[in-house]
Amino acid sequence: MFSDTSKNGEYNFDKYKISSSLTNNLKTFKSIFEDDDMLRTRVCKNKNTAFLVFYIDGMVKTDTVNSSVIKPLIELTGENDYTLDDVASYLLYAGEIKKSDNLDDIITSMLYGDTILFKEGVPSALIINTKGWETRGVSEPEN
């Protein structure tokens, strides 16, 4: 899944850093997940700023990502330049949102079904609870 693994099979993200540039963060995540076609990205822009959204398809509730994360960002209007804290507090519709600048935490959260949101010019991200992977029901085996 990941392009960088150590000899003991653990993932090594030491050479990667969170950047204040969305372009650099996009390159970082595309490099880390280079062999994974489940990584989804979305850029949302308004007059004053741009946001970058990452999530793993199949691990999130896609309708929640669309309605609670992407739609509020797309609908941003006006001259306000929202901080990441403003976005978390006033714009997104999610029960649990935390801020992080730790790449290991960000990737681990994304692998567990959270959505990641970067803002241009900010070297940290929001981790947004959008968990919702599909489960199979338990049924009797057929003989």
Side-chain angles (χ1 to χ4, degrees):
M1 173 184 226
F2 296 118
S3 61
D4 295 307
T5 56
S6 65
K7 290 179 184 175
N8 63 3
E10 291 184 13
Y11 304 111
N12 183 4
F13 304 119
D14 292 341
K15 74 177 189 178
Y16 300 105
K17 301 290 181 221
I18 298 297
S19 172
S20 60
S21 162
L22 294 186
T23 301
N24 290 344
N25 287 331
L26 181 60
K27 287 178 187 175
T28 295
F29 275 69
K30 293 256 182 186
S31 177
I32 291 170
F33 291 93
E34 69 183 347
D35 295 324
D36 190 342
D37 61 355
M38 302 302 282
L39 177 69
R40 300 292 180 256
T41 63
R42 176 73 187 261
V43 176
C44 303
K45 295 181 180 181
N46 71 6
K47 273 185 175 181
N48 296 315
T49 194
F51 299 93
L52 179 59
V53 177
F54 290 106
Y55 62 91
I56 302 293
D57 195 26
M59 297 297 293
V60 302
K61 292 180 184 174
T62 306
D63 57 331
T64 301
V65 174
N66 289 334
S67 64
S68 301
V69 179
I70 294 172
K71 184 177 179 185
L73 294 174
I74 290 173
E75 292 177 346
L76 278 177
T77 58
E79 300 298 322
N80 292 336
D81 184 16
Y82 294 95
T83 67
L84 215 54
D85 292 327
D86 290 339
V87 171
S89 297
Y90 308 118
L91 298 175
L92 302 181
Y93 304 108
E96 183 182 347
I97 301 172
K98 63 183 180 180
K99 189 175 175 181
S100 178
D101 61 0
N102 182 296
L103 186 59
D104 287 334
D105 291 344
I106 290 168
I107 290 173
T108 300
S109 296
M110 193 168 72
L111 292 174
Y112 279 102
D114 291 327
T115 296
I116 307 305
L117 174 67
F118 288 98
K119 179 182 185 283
E120 184 65 52
V122 180
S124 59
L126 295 180
I127 299 171
I128 306 157
N129 183 351
T130 55
K131 293 173 185 72
W133 55 87
E134 293 198 18
T135 58
R136 293 187 294 184
V138 177
S139 62
E140 291 293 322
E142 294 181 22
N143 294 12

